[in-house]
Amino acid sequence: MPAPVTSPSEFAFELALCAHLEETTDLLPARQLGASVASPGSRIIDVCAVAPGPEFDERTHITPRTIPAAAIESDVGVGHAVFWRDAFDCHPARARRATDRAVDVGFFETERRRGREYVRQATRYPDAWFSRLVGIENKPDLGEPGDLLRQLRLDVSLSLFDEVVLATESYVTGAHLNRIPDVVGIWRFDPETGERDVVREATPLATDATGVEPVDYDSLHTDVAFVTAAEKRTARLKLAERAYGKGWRRYDLPGCGHAGVDSDGRPVCGHFGRVVDPGSECGPDCAAFDPADAPEFDRENLRDTRTDWVADPSGVARRQSGLDRFS
């Protein structure tokens, strides 16, 4: 038997934590989402966990997919159809993309008048569908911190999340506690047993205040951008919507006879007997690769049965068709 490859511990740790949160809390976890504003793409949070709010059920009725923030914040309302371009305060190309996406997911209805497209919301958007965003940075081995402290300091100074947490498998020493910002919560998590100990509770952050985002690091100074409360509201809405639509099981299973999924939906290899990262470990370069059809994997149904997210809602788009008379 060929020697097993080294397990990508951070990937396996991350999936185990997502499965644990899904099973033991009401949080909706999603993986690898952008968590910066002034410099998009410069900060990717390992896990964004969304806490449902009082209008969560209303959100589940609309669509299981992401609704674009630009469409939500546009001047498109429920009772009166408007020319799509007049409803947006942004570049027409971005407005066009947001309109098409909102129609595609069932949030906008569309009609044509004299060759022009008019749109209205199919239903009121439930602003209070989420109550908190929890940003979780995973670092199983604190002996190899990498850019951990810089990432956590950015998260704290920007305050895009209501809470920021460090999740680790390592024993947390006093020296670790002294280096990690005081407001960052710390979880010690065992991916094998699913036990999670709260070493330190997270302190709520000022999401409604101006944030400071480092955008360029130099040996002698750091350039920063000030992110307004309004910009953060839009970024938080976009983050919550992306997390709702994406979830954490977004990997493709490999076409290998050893490939499978466990009861949580994590990708496993029957040959090596563990969770694997299909994107980096599987394929012809693996000594145990056995070409076959990829196993079937109904990730949406699995998420539906394990959370309050709804995979196939009845939808709302056709319920408003009678409102044409008001336009």
Side-chain angles (χ1 to χ4, degrees), residues 110-130:
T110 182
E111 63 182 74
R112 299 199 71 82
R113 302 179 188 171
R114 299 178 296 278
R116 304 214 308 179
E117 183 181 16
Y118 284 70
V119 292
R120 65 166 64 87
Q121 287 185 16
T123 189
R124 179 189 70 85
Y125 184 79
D127 295 313
W129 75 264
F130 69 95

Side-chain angles (χ1 to χ4, degrees), residues 8 20 64 83 104 126 154 170 187 203-205 228 238 265 310 315 326:
H20 166 80
F83 178 48
D104 184 48
L154 183 154
S170 297
W187 296 343
T203 300
L205 300 175
T228 67
K238 184 182 300 184
V310 178
F326 295 119

Side-chain angles (χ1 to χ4, degrees), residues 94-162:
R94 184 182 175 216
R96 182 69 263 175
R97 289 194 299 271
T99 298
D100 290 344
R101 178 66 177 172
V103 171
D104 184 48
V105 302
F107 182 59
F108 279 1
E109 288 185 315
T110 182
E111 63 182 74
R112 299 199 71 82
R113 302 179 188 171
R114 299 178 296 278
R116 304 214 308 179
E117 183 181 16
Y118 284 70
V119 292
R120 65 166 64 87
Q121 287 185 16
T123 189
R124 179 189 70 85
Y125 184 79
D127 295 313
W129 75 264
F130 69 95
S131 60
R132 290 181 302 123
L133 299 180
V134 182
I136 305 170
E137 186 64 22
N138 298 319
K139 188 58 64 176
D141 184 2
L142 291 180
E144 299 179 1
D147 290 332
L148 175 64
L149 296 183
R150 178 182 292 183
Q151 293 168 331
L152 293 177
R153 289 177 184 133
L154 183 154
D155 296 335
V156 170
S157 63
L158 179 57
S159 296
L160 191 61
F161 296 98
D162 295 274

